[in-house]
């Protein structure tokens, strides 16, 4: 009995098995005329998977469901398959990246994409969290791929097949170029993977999504029957009711707690403009202007020091790490200004920063939403200490040498 894969087409979960089979020289037949919602509800299918989910692989020894399990099964049918690496540690790392691909990439792409198609209830806050979580996963992936062509070793493994299929789902359906351009190492990796001959044989030419799908209408449109003359008034009344419901004003979005603070004499945008527009005499103009504007009742200053500087052994990886942090701080742009310095002429590089936040404490929503915050030690600036004030000036000015060391890079959040 040949191996038979029960799934519709195209289906990224089915692709995992078909591509793994192509690499392994295993024959897998995709069932013909599969209809989602019909074929997977049949008694025969439910005997193989009582939940009715696809794909399911029919084998001589019984059915296998769950797409990663099926791909693993097919891969192991070939003895000493290089798709599973050449050592125990490579095997463990392949399994590691398979789990990462499922938990950090696939789940969040689905949480972003499915509600927009109407498969799940749309919720803007849930979507925002899904996108933030997806970006977090892509940033972590990007750091790894900055030094590696493939996930494990120097050739395609099962981890690349599964991650490639999950990224395929995102790239072709919702992750536009403007979104993925933040992660150039991931882009390079994805196009490398999908253009491998065994991938192209199964998926064909791949085109990236040009736009994010619009949010599906909550109520399906039904064609209206022409009103009968005698019931014109009655029909008109019926048609008015939904119109009133549609025109109901949306509930106001809850205000950020920082918007409820007493007004401050410091206007953050004015400081940002002064900083951006000062090209000469920086100390006399920008820094003096900062202290003239600064309001300790409405704002607070904080130093941050990266906790794990001993890990910063590669310059561009360290720079990418800081750049990712600033990207994830975008949610606080209305309430913050920051300077991040990468310090040192040789590794390990030190990462230090200065941040100006609205309010007397670091905003709680920043601590909750930006996971990078816990990677730094945060110390509130005592503006009555002249030494600390001068350190603030040095950060704002990108002073070099900074505390006796060369600057590798300086980044500004404004």
């Amino acid at each position: 009995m040949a191996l038979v894969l029960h799934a519709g087409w195209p289906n990224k979960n089915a692709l995992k098995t078909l591509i793994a089979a192509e690499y392994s020289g295993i024959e897998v037949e995709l069932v013909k005329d599969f209809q989602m919602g019909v074929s997977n509800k049949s008694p025969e299918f439910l005997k193989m998977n009582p939940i009715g989910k696809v794909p399911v692989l029919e084998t001589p020894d019984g059915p296998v469901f769950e797409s990663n399990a099926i791909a693993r099964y097919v891969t192991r049918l070939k003895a000493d398959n290089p798709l599973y690496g050449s050592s125990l540690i490579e095997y463990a790392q392949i399994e590691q990246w398979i789990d990462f691909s499922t938990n950090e990439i696939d789940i969040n792409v689905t949480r972003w994409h499915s509600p927009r198609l109407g498969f799940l209830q749309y919720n803007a806050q849930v979507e925002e969290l899904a996108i933030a979580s997806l970006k977090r996963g892509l940033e972590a992936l990007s750091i790894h791929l900055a030094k590696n062509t493939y996930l494990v070793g120097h050739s395609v493994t099962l981890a690349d097949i599964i991650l490639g299929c999950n990224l395929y789902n995102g790239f072709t359906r919702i992750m536009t170029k403007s979104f993925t351009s933040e992660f150039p190492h991931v882009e390079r990796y994805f196009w490398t993977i999908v253009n491998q001959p065994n991938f192209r044989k199964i998926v064909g030419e791949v085109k990236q999504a040009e736009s994010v799908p619009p949010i599906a209408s909550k109520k399906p449109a039904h064609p209206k029957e022409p009103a009968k003359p005698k019931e014109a008034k009655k029909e008109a009344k019926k048609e008015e009711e939904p119109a009133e419901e549609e025109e109901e004003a949306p509930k106001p979005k809850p205000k950020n707690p920082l918007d409820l603070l007493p007004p401050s004499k410091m206007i953050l945008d004015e400081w940002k403009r002064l900083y951006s527009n000062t090209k000469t005499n920086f100390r006399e103009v920008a820094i003096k202007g900062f202290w003239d504007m600064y309001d300790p009742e409405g704002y607070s200053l904080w130093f941050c020091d990266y906790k794990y500087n001993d890990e910063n052994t590669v310059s561009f990886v360290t720079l990418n790490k800081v750049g990712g942090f600033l990207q994830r701080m975008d949610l606080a742009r209305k309430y913050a200004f920051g300077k991040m310095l990468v310090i040192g002429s040789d590794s390990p590089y030190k990462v230090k920063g200065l941040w100006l936040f609205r309010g007397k404490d670091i905003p709680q929503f920043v601590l909750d939403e930006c996971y990078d915050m816990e990677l730094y030690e945060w110390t509130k600036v005592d503006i009555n200490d002249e030494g600390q004030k001068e350190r603030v000036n040095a950060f704002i000015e990108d002073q070099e040498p900074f505390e006796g060391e060369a600057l590798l890079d300086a980044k500004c959040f404004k």
Side-chain angles (χ1 to χ4, degrees):
M1 173 184 172
L3 300 177
V4 179
L5 188 65
H6 295 259
W9 186 263
N11 180 300
K12 57 95 179 173
N13 286 330
L15 292 178
K16 299 173 187 178
T17 295
L18 295 174
I19 295 169
E22 195 65 35
Y23 270 94
S24 305
I26 304 297
E27 186 176 350
V28 175
E29 178 186 343
L30 185 66
V31 72
K32 296 178 181 179
D33 302 322
F34 187 93
Q35 289 183 285
M36 193 63 189
V38 178
S39 303
N40 60 312
K41 301 299 181 184
S42 68
E44 294 78 14
F45 188 94
L46 293 175
K47 286 180 181 178
M48 296 187 292
N49 184 356
I51 298 176
K53 292 173 68 175
V54 297
V56 170
L57 183 70
E58 193 175 356
T59 82
D61 301 313
V64 181
F65 56 84
E66 294 297 337
S67 61
N68 290 348
I70 298 171
R72 289 181 174 108
Y73 171 83
V74 168
T75 300
R76 286 174 175 159
L77 288 175
K78 178 181 178 180
D80 300 322
N81 196 329
L83 290 183
Y84 252 124
S86 58
S87 66
L88 184 60
I89 188 62
E90 286 191 352
Y91 166 78
Q93 290 170 343
I94 290 166
E95 289 293 327
Q96 159 196 292
W97 284 111
I98 289 174
D99 287 349
F100 174 92
S101 174
T102 301
N103 297 327
E104 305 298 335
I105 305 301
D106 188 36
I107 286 175
N108 291 310
V109 168
T110 301
R111 286 174 178 167
W112 181 14
H113 183 244
S114 293
R116 283 187 166 264
L117 299 185
F119 296 131
L120 298 172
Q121 184 175 0
Y122 179 81
N123 180 297
Q125 291 180 325
V126 171
E127 178 178 85
E128 186 177 346
L129 179 59
I131 294 172
S133 299
L134 177 59
K135 285 186 173 183
R136 175 182 177 178
L138 292 172
E139 177 63 30
L141 179 61
S142 186
I143 291 171
H144 178 74
L145 293 174
K147 297 183 290 183
N148 298 276
T149 302
Y150 302 103
L151 290 176
V152 181
H154 303 290
S155 60
V156 171
T157 66
L158 184 60
D160 296 298
I161 293 172
I162 290 177
L163 177 59
C165 290
N166 289 336
L167 287 174
Y168 171 86
N169 197 41
F171 269 76
T172 60
R173 296 189 176 189
I174 200 165
M175 289 163 54
T176 61
K177 176 64 178 177
S178 62
F179 179 86
T180 60
S181 61
E182 295 181 27
F183 313 99
H185 298 300
V186 176
E187 286 186 320
R188 183 268 307 160
Y189 169 80
F190 174 72
W191 294 112
T192 298
I193 292 298
V194 297
N195 281 295
Q196 298 293 310
N198 288 329
F199 268 80
R200 285 185 65 88
K201 185 173 181 179
I202 301 300
V203 303
E205 183 182 0
V206 178
K207 293 184 178 180
Q208 188 164 5
E210 295 182 355
S211 61
V212 175
I215 300 167
S217 174
K218 292 182 180 180
K219 294 183 179 180
H222 295 288
K224 296 179 182 177
E225 295 181 5
K228 297 178 182 179
K230 291 183 181 180
E231 298 178 353
K233 290 184 180 180
K234 188 176 180 181
E235 291 295 329
K237 186 175 180 180
K238 284 183 180 178
E239 291 174 8
E240 286 173 5
E241 291 175 0
E244 289 175 6
E245 185 178 335
E246 289 170 7
E247 291 171 7
E248 184 180 349
K251 294 180 180 179
K253 187 177 180 180
K255 286 190 174 182
N256 189 300
L258 298 183
D259 294 328
L260 304 178
L261 293 175
S264 171
K265 71 171 188 177
M266 184 175 197
I267 308 301
L268 187 59
D269 284 342
E270 289 184 5
W271 156 242
K272 291 180 178 181
R273 279 194 294 272
L274 177 64
Y275 173 88
S276 299
N277 295 333
T278 303
K279 307 301 181 185
T280 59
N281 300 321
F282 200 83
R283 281 252 169 180
E284 294 78 5
V285 179
I287 291 179
K288 182 181 182 301
F290 173 79
W291 290 114
D292 288 342
M293 294 179 185
Y294 183 65
D295 171 21
E297 296 301 314
Y299 284 83
S300 57
L301 285 162
W302 297 79
F303 296 127
C304 67
D305 291 272
Y306 191 66
K307 294 178 182 178
Y308 310 104
N309 285 318
D310 58 325
E311 298 177 357
N312 297 332
T313 56
V314 181
S315 60
F316 67 88
V317 174
T318 305
L319 296 175
N320 287 343
K321 187 183 299 181
V322 174
F325 174 34
L326 297 184
Q327 288 174 0
R328 288 182 285 278
M329 282 295 289
D330 192 64
L331 76 170
R333 194 168 298 278
K334 182 180 174 183
Y335 309 102
F337 170 87
K339 293 301 296 285
M340 295 295 295
L341 306 183
V342 181
I343 304 164
S345 53
D346 295 304
S347 65
Y349 303 98
K350 298 175 183 176
V351 177
K352 301 174 183 285
L354 169 76
W355 286 84
L356 171 72
F357 289 115
R358 182 74 165 101
K360 293 187 176 183
D361 297 297
I362 299 175
Q364 189 60 46
F365 77 92
V366 175
L367 295 172
D368 291 341
E369 298 295 335
C370 185
Y371 74 90
D372 304 74
M373 299 296 286
E374 65 186 28
L375 304 178
Y376 292 83
E377 292 285 354
W378 294 89
T379 306
K380 193 170 186 178
V381 176
D382 179 1
I383 62 171
N384 296 314
D385 183 324
E386 289 302 319
Q388 292 192 36
K389 283 187 71 173
E390 179 54 34
R391 191 169 189 247
V392 170
N393 296 344
F395 269 107
I396 296 175
E397 190 183 18
D398 303 336
Q399 187 182 83
E400 188 174 15
F402 184 86
E403 299 179 341
E405 296 187 83
L407 284 184
L408 177 65
D409 194 24
K411 296 181 181 292
C412 183
F413 176 88
K414 57 184 171 64

